[in-house]
Amino acid sequence: MTALGDPARYQFVPGPSAGPLVVGGEGCYLFTAEGRRILDAGGGAIVANIGHGRREVADRVHAAMAQGAYVVPIWPTPHRLSLLDRLVERWLPDGFTQVFFTSGGSESTDAAIRLARAYQYSVGRPSRWKVVGRHPSYHGMTLGTIAAASHSGRRAGFEPMLLDFPKVPWDDPEAVVRVIEQEDPDTIAGFIVEPITGASGGCLVASDEYWATVSQVCREHDIVLIADEVMTGFGRTGRTWGHEHFPLEPDVVLGGKGLGGGYVPIGMVATRPDIASPIAAMGGFMFFTFSGSDAMCAGADAVLEILEREQLVERSAEMGERLVQRLHTALGDHPHVAEIRGRGLFVGVQLVRDRDTGEQFPTETRFAARVVAEGLARDVWYYPAGSGPVHDAVMFGCPFVVTDTELDRMVEVLVASIDAAVAG
Ligand code: PLP
């Protein structure tokens, strides 16, 4: 390898410090150029479901690329077909046979917003254009997905450019009914939800009553219910899909992150023929140039095969329980921990200034970011979260292959990092 450049030059927008220069990884570890081994409790950005360094995935991607053809997304290829068959036969909810590939989470959520609108338009309801979102929520960084979501930090400054989509609170069934009526169902095309709220809320889990109401209201008014499973999909929560934990019945399911496992940039939008067929009859659904890129499909197919072969979804459930037990033991009574929550290996720890009163740290102190920096100084990476009602949380989204010893270390370092951030 030629001499490496200056890592500080990498950032598009210069920041206070350069990140570690990562040159490889294996299992739950990232290796840096200086020889550090960073324990990846966040799975990067909750992505690395099968763990790092799987040669098998790289080989499959290489073989697909070596075939040497770019194929326009409207034509099938063996890798596209293989991934599609695997998804429909083994991963998607019953009846979900139509899949649109994308290059990641934001493209998937943006395409789903377009899909909801296209469906309503194609069945003769052109007045329906709004997509209801939740507060807080995060669905990506295209202008459409920022508009549908409610992540204060990531919306800031863009407001004049965003469509005025309605929002409902993350766990208030009565407000859902009220807002839909106030907005007029005849203007609403879709309703987008994270089954467990990710980066904006640090794994907020809403009540069954809330999800039953959302599903019922959408069914009643023929509103397309979209489950954004970009973080929660492909086993992250200990079940195939996050929505399976709740009485939540989506019409559209989105995936990203875990589908490619961090190896390939790929996402998907999946639905039933009753949603897709009217759109097809009206003229189809425009693709992205790299929708279902052949090598990306080969990589995702290999990732899913590994999850199946090694029964890693079940492992996510089991190791997630062990993680939560350890967190309760170590932090259950901690004065700055308000709640430990989540499902499977998708777990958030909410941090507050005063656990008894619920008082939060002021947003500008960026407490969660400081805890994450303390963790990284101790060679453990956690994913920071928070917006709106949740100022500060850190998230665990480690590879499903995590061991008990690694869990012990993740928890031990988190305690030290919280204490150091408080003292600092
Ligand atoms: N939707 C959810 C729920 C997410 O958590 C994210 C990313 O964190 C996205 C969409 C956007 O995905 P991407 O960053 O791959 O564009």
Side-chain angles (χ1 to χ4, degrees), residues 2-64:
T2 52
L4 296 169
D6 174 5
R9 290 182 64 189
Y10 169 69
Q11 290 172 323
F12 173 53
V13 181
S17 61
L21 181 59
V22 177
V23 293
E26 192 177 343
C28 285
Y29 286 93
L30 297 168
F31 309 140
T32 75
E34 313 129 336
R36 286 167 67 192
R37 285 165 58 87
I38 298 175
L39 186 54
D40 193 3
I46 326 285
V47 175
N49 291 8
I50 59 170
H52 304 284
R54 300 277 197 156
R55 182 73 213 205
E56 179 182 345
V57 181
D59 289 344
R60 296 269 287 272
V61 172
H62 176 260

Side-chain angles (χ1 to χ4, degrees), residues 45 103-107 109 138-141 154 194 198-199 228-231 256-257 383:
S103 306
S106 299
E107 276 189 6
T109 46
Y138 179 64
H139 298 296
M141 283 310 288
R154 296 179 190 173
E194 292 164 87
D228 177 351
E229 301 254 17
V230 167
M231 266 199 187
K257 298 183 184 268
Y383 198 61

Side-chain angles (χ1 to χ4, degrees), residues 56-356:
E56 179 182 345
V57 181
D59 289 344
R60 296 269 287 272
V61 172
H62 176 260
M65 277 190 170
Q67 286 175 351
Y70 165 81
V71 183
V72 69
I74 50 176
W75 298 347
T77 67
H79 296 112
R80 286 175 185 159
L81 290 176
S82 173
L83 177 58
L84 184 65
D85 284 353
R86 187 184 294 282
L87 284 167
V88 172
E89 283 161 25
R90 302 188 202 173
W91 289 85
L92 292 173
D94 284 349
F96 280 55
T97 52
Q98 312 308 121
V99 180
F100 176 76
F101 290 119
T102 70
S103 306
S106 299
E107 276 189 6
S108 297
T109 46
D110 209 80
I113 291 169
R114 185 158 53 98
L115 181 81
R117 165 66 179 167
Y119 165 73
Q120 301 291 1
Y121 196 85
S122 67
V123 296
R125 293 194 283 247
S127 61
R128 292 186 178 229
W129 63 274
K130 299 172 193 166
V131 174
V132 177
R134 295 164 76 219
H135 178 64
S137 59
Y138 179 64
H139 298 296
M141 283 310 288
T142 64
L143 292 177
T145 57
I146 301 172
S150 172
H151 186 306
S152 40
R154 296 179 190 173
R155 278 178 77 95
F158 293 114
E159 277 84 356
M161 301 167 75
L162 306 179
L163 284 168
D164 188 16
F165 285 148
K167 300 290 176 320
V168 295
W170 69 275
D171 193 18
D172 181 345
E174 283 164 24
V176 169
V177 175
R178 198 171 54 243
V179 170
I180 300 274
E181 289 305 329
Q182 273 166 2
E183 290 287 334
D184 179 1
D186 278 337
T187 66
I188 301 177
F191 193 142
I192 186 164
V193 303
E194 292 164 87
I196 299 177
T197 308
S200 65
C203 299
L204 287 171
V205 180
S207 62
D208 280 0
E209 188 197 352
Y210 179 84
W211 290 124
T213 303
V214 168
S215 301
Q216 157 70 20
V217 167
C218 288
R219 224 176 7 250
E220 198 177 304
H221 297 295
D222 205 4
I223 293 168
V224 177
L225 179 49
I226 303 161
D228 177 351
E229 301 254 17
V230 167
M231 266 199 187
T232 50
F234 297 102
R236 172 52 59 193
T237 68
R239 298 200 184 162
T240 305
W241 302 106
H243 74 259
E244 291 173 35
H245 294 277
F246 313 107
L248 167 58
E249 293 159 22
D251 302 302
V252 176
V253 169
L254 311 181
K257 298 183 184 268
L259 174 58
Y263 292 85
V264 286
I266 188 167
M268 54 123 240
V269 179
T271 190
R272 303 179 307 257
D274 60 295
I275 305 272
S277 299
I279 301 172
M282 200 184 61
F285 198 68
M286 182 59 195
F287 57 79
F288 302 112
T289 298
F290 296 112
S291 290
S293 143
D294 211 37
M296 305 308 114
C297 286
D301 204 28
V303 168
L304 297 188
E305 197 180 306
I306 289 171
L307 286 167
E308 292 166 18
R309 192 177 64 222
E310 299 182 12
Q311 301 182 341
L312 292 180
V313 179
E314 293 80 353
R315 190 169 168 89
S316 167
E318 189 186 326
M319 297 312 276
E321 275 179 29
R322 295 191 199 177
L323 170 62
V324 168
Q325 271 168 15
R326 284 167 164 79
L327 285 168
H328 276 294
T329 306
L331 288 166
D333 297 323
H334 194 284
H336 298 293
V337 172
E339 200 180 16
I340 296 158
R341 58 193 175 223
R343 296 283 189 282
L345 282 171
F346 192 53
V347 176
V349 178
Q350 188 174 343
L351 304 164
V352 287
R353 179 182 261 170
D354 185 332
R355 168 202 181 88
D356 295 328

